[in-house]
Amino acid sequence: MSEKQIGWKFDNTYAKLPDSLLTKIKPTPVKSPETVIFNHDLSKEIGLDFSNVDNKEIALIFSGNKLPLGTETISQAYAGHQFGHFTVLGDGRAHLLGEHVTQNERRVDIQFKGSGPTPYSRNADGRAGLGPMLREYLISESMNSLGISTTRSLAVVKTGEEVTRETKLKGAILTRIASSHIRVGTFQYALITKDRNNLNKLFNYTIQRHYPHIKNAKSPATELLKIVIEKQINLIIDWMRVGFIHGVMNTDNMTISGETIDYGPCAFMDTYDPKTVFSSIDLHGRYAYYNQPAIAKWNLERFAESLIPLINKDENLGLEIASEVMNSFTEKYKRSWLEMMKKKLGLIGNDLNDQNLILDLLTWMHKNKADYTNTFCNLMNKLSVKNKIFNDQDFLIWKKKWEKRAALNGNTLANSHEIMKNANPLLIPRNHIVEKILRDAEEKNNLDGLNEFLKVMKDPYKTFPKIEKFQSTPHTKKETYVTYCGT
Ligand code: AMP
Ligand code: MG
């Protein structure tokens, strides 16, 4: 099949930005590429047709051994606050192939992760392991199915080479699709480059690419800040809704588009505990479940600081304006959180006691170590597995109060369930399931579990005959689940 038939249409605008914001560099070819998984649904969504391309050819393309025509590979420079400390970073193991423009004029970044060293590698090898790349594939596609804004995964290809971490891993490259890879950290980087014009150029580029409607606003920089705040609030609310914990909310892992990016030591909370942390490197709980909104605000403050020179020539005035905009975060977040939780409980209208009702349920879940996802499934009568915890007297008393509240404003329980259906997934990628899938794939080359899971996860809000397998929680005594940055 020819390149033309596949449908690539590259138009690489980011590569035209000033040299100091990027490096033109090619991926390092790999020994013997082999396709592990390819996302045909996603390829169709972005107007690419790989139906007649065999896995051998797919492996050549998505390993970087045979780059499509029209690509202009670059690595992007960025900086970031990692666990609160400012560092200059950049794509240390990623290459942007370029921007593919779909038939309906959607522009998407096509990026390799694990494709070889770059000037930003800082002594690391530029490579990635099969397990972590499959993990990003699985979780990002699950997030998309859950209706949460995210980068997507198009392919995972084995390199035929080993990567050395704590142990030897099989090497792999992930192809990531994103509406862009512009991060808070990209602005932080542009701000500290010698040429002041870099910030201006990145800013104009970002507006043109993502939010052209604010180009002629009185203060486009202030508008951009407001938009990114709103996007991030919506995103974090969605994470909180499904119990997702990102794990490394550094400013370089926060996009301007509002997509979830960089799935490293992320995981979904099972037993409800607001202090849940999965990442082995997050020793102080900076990125714990309950702390995600506060960290999002902290990161957005770093973004606001980068925008100050663009908000006003007078930096003091710029700071004042940015601070005022930032001050709206907490109130907006609280309001959105309450609305989201009310949807999870199918509550219509307002009642003075709503917040307490919600907090009472969360407190009960915490105290009784109830499963976060399954508690809401139980309330919808959609839990296929039995758990005697839901016979607990306190829970039953709470349930009565909830039913009484839900009935206000002429509402019916059936209607509440209808609202709840769209807010509460029946399925999430449970940690024990994800681990088994990845183990089978890595150790036994067995992808059955991954393919089966991706299939059922396509519609996580709907029930199906064998759902128990995916709703059950580990029966064995639970050890603390830890995810490693193990990249
Ligand atoms: P992450 O934790 O994936 O957000 O990455 C943080 C930074 O480390 C980014 O600049 C990455 O490009 C870089 N990095 C992570 N792993 C590697 C690696 N194996 N080789 C080179 N750079 C890496
Ligand atoms: Mg990152």
Side-chain angles (χ1 to χ4, degrees):
M1 196 170 189
S2 74
E3 294 248 342
K4 209 162 177 191
Q5 282 166 309
I6 291 173
W8 290 117
K9 194 178 151 205
F10 281 101
D11 175 40
N12 310 319
T13 56
Y14 200 91
K16 297 191 178 79
L17 281 172
D19 283 349
S20 49
L21 296 179
L22 55 105
T23 300
K24 293 187 173 147
I25 182 168
K26 291 234 175 322
T28 308
V30 303
K31 202 163 119 197
S32 45
E34 202 183 308
T35 303
V36 180
I37 188 163
F38 184 79
N39 195 338
H40 282 283
D41 286 350
L42 175 58
S43 78
K44 279 184 211 130
E45 238 178 77
I46 58 172
L48 298 176
D49 181 6
F50 281 89
S51 54
N52 291 316
V53 184
D54 65 23
N55 275 343
K56 253 192 177 155
E57 185 72 10
I58 286 180
L60 286 176
I61 298 171
F62 294 101
S63 59
N65 282 16
K66 185 179 167 188
L67 291 169
L69 286 177
T71 55
E72 213 175 340
T73 56
I74 62 164
S75 291
Q76 294 172 316
Y78 51 85
H81 276 87
Q82 298 194 301
F83 290 89
H85 303 285
F86 186 77
T87 325
V88 174
L89 300 158
D91 290 331
R93 53 164 172 174
H95 293 79
L96 180 72
L97 275 70
E99 297 138 42
H100 163 69
V101 183
T102 68
Q103 269 124 347
N104 45 9
E105 297 298 309
R106 207 178 123 206
R107 180 178 294 272
V108 291
D109 271 8
I110 314 278
Q111 195 209 50
F112 288 160
K113 185 166 172 180
S115 40
T118 77
Y120 313 109
S121 299
R122 299 176 295 161
N123 294 324
D125 61 2
R127 292 298 184 191
L130 175 62
M133 293 305 99
L134 282 178
R135 197 182 157 79
E136 171 151 350
Y137 188 109
L138 191 162
I139 308 280
S140 66
E141 288 308 295
S142 298
M143 290 288 269
N144 179 62
S145 299
L146 286 162
I148 300 176
S149 185
T150 177
T151 62
R152 303 285 306 275
S153 298
L154 184 64
V156 175
V157 167
K158 273 195 286 192
T159 58
E161 297 170 10
E162 274 185 340
V163 294
T164 310
R165 298 291 181 262
E166 283 93 26
T167 55
K168 296 241 186 256
L169 300 175
K170 289 177 186 155
I173 295 171
L174 171 89
T175 302
R176 177 155 73 183
I177 309 294
S179 70
S180 89
H181 283 82
I182 306 170
R183 306 152 189 261
V184 166
T186 319
F187 277 82
Q188 292 183 288
Y189 182 82
L191 182 73
I192 58 159
T193 55
K194 282 201 197 91
D195 187 350
R196 270 285 153 130
N197 268 328
N198 286 340
L199 181 65
N200 239 320
K201 286 185 179 153
L202 175 69
F203 172 73
N204 290 334
Y205 178 85
T206 305
I207 301 263
Q208 184 61 35
R209 179 146 177 193
H210 287 290
Y211 311 112
H213 65 282
I214 61 170
K215 205 159 53 184
N216 299 318
K218 214 167 112 206
S219 169
T222 314
E223 292 309 307
L224 179 64
L225 179 59
K226 286 185 193 162
I227 291 176
V228 177
I229 290 175
E230 193 179 320
K231 293 255 170 197
Q232 286 298 331
I233 288 179
N234 292 342
L235 183 65
I236 307 295
I237 291 285
D238 261 344
W239 291 0
M240 303 305 272
R241 173 171 66 83
V242 300
F244 175 75
I245 299 164
H246 183 284
V248 256
M249 284 179 72
N250 296 333
T251 55
D252 50 303
N253 291 338
M254 183 182 255
T255 59
I256 303 306
S257 65
E259 288 175 350
T260 313
I261 196 169
D262 272 358
Y263 294 89
C266 60
F268 284 75
M269 175 168 66
D270 32 35
T271 308
Y272 180 75
D273 180 350
K275 291 211 169 104
T276 305
V277 170
F278 292 117
S279 168
S280 63
I281 54 171
D282 191 0
L283 300 177
H284 305 290
R286 181 180 170 88
Y287 300 140
Y289 175 77
Y290 82 100
N291 220 21
Q292 296 188 120
I295 289 294
K297 180 172 182 237
W298 193 89
N299 288 350
L300 289 163
E301 280 162 357
R302 307 291 78 75
F303 182 51
E305 282 165 6
S306 314
L307 291 177
I308 286 171
L310 302 166
I311 291 176
N312 206 289
K313 279 194 198 98
D314 174 345
E315 298 222 347
N316 287 329
L317 194 54
L319 175 63
E320 210 175 286
I321 296 168
S323 306
E324 205 182 301
V325 175
M326 276 313 308
N327 284 342
S328 66
F329 180 98
T330 307
E331 209 32 59
K332 272 191 190 145
Y333 177 82
K334 271 192 187 157
R335 227 181 306 131
S336 308
W337 180 83
L338 188 60
E339 281 314 304
M340 177 273 286
M341 289 305 289
K342 278 167 64 185
K343 284 198 188 111
K344 277 180 89 66
L345 292 173
L347 307 179
I348 291 181
N350 296 317
D351 185 75
L352 272 181
N353 205 34
D354 281 346
Q355 183 146 331
N356 287 337
L357 185 75
I358 295 163
L359 293 178
D360 285 350
L361 175 64
L362 294 175
T363 307
W364 176 85
M365 277 192 224
H366 189 192
K367 197 170 135 208
N368 292 279
K369 299 190 167 54
D371 184 272
Y372 181 67
T373 304
N374 284 358
T375 301
F376 293 97
C377 293
N378 172 280
L379 293 175
M380 297 190 296
N381 301 329
K382 287 274 170 57
L383 187 60
S384 63
V385 289
K386 291 231 173 340
N387 191 332
K388 56 180 186 306
I389 198 146
F390 298 119
N391 298 329
D392 178 74
Q393 270 309 311
D394 290 343
F395 180 67
L396 296 175
I397 293 168
W398 178 89
K399 215 167 160 180
K400 281 261 168 312
K401 277 196 229 160
W402 165 64
E403 279 166 356
K404 212 166 141 199
R405 159 62 182 96
L408 292 183
N409 306 314
N411 191 27
T412 62
L413 201 56
N415 192 36
S416 285
H417 284 176
E418 204 48 43
I419 298 167
M420 293 164 81
K421 215 169 74 181
N422 299 317
N424 300 310
L426 307 182
L427 292 182
I428 52 159
R430 292 188 173 278
N431 303 323
H432 67 283
I433 296 177
V434 173
E435 288 317 309
K436 171 144 186 13
I437 287 172
L438 296 183
R439 249 193 337 266
D440 285 353
E442 279 178 294
E443 292 167 13
K444 301 182 197 152
N445 274 334
N446 180 350
L447 293 173
D448 295 349
L450 177 62
N451 287 320
E452 182 194 17
F453 186 74
L454 287 168
K455 206 163 144 198
V456 296
M457 199 58 209
K458 281 244 175 261
D459 198 350
Y461 297 94
K462 247 200 202 135
T463 191
F464 57 94
K466 291 207 172 116
I467 195 166
E468 316 86 74
K469 181 172 155 191
F470 303 97
Q471 282 194 321
S472 33
T473 51
H475 298 296
T476 46
K477 191 171 171 294
K478 198 178 148 257
E479 285 170 32
T480 311
Y481 183 69
V482 181
T483 54
Y484 295 90
C485 243
T487 51

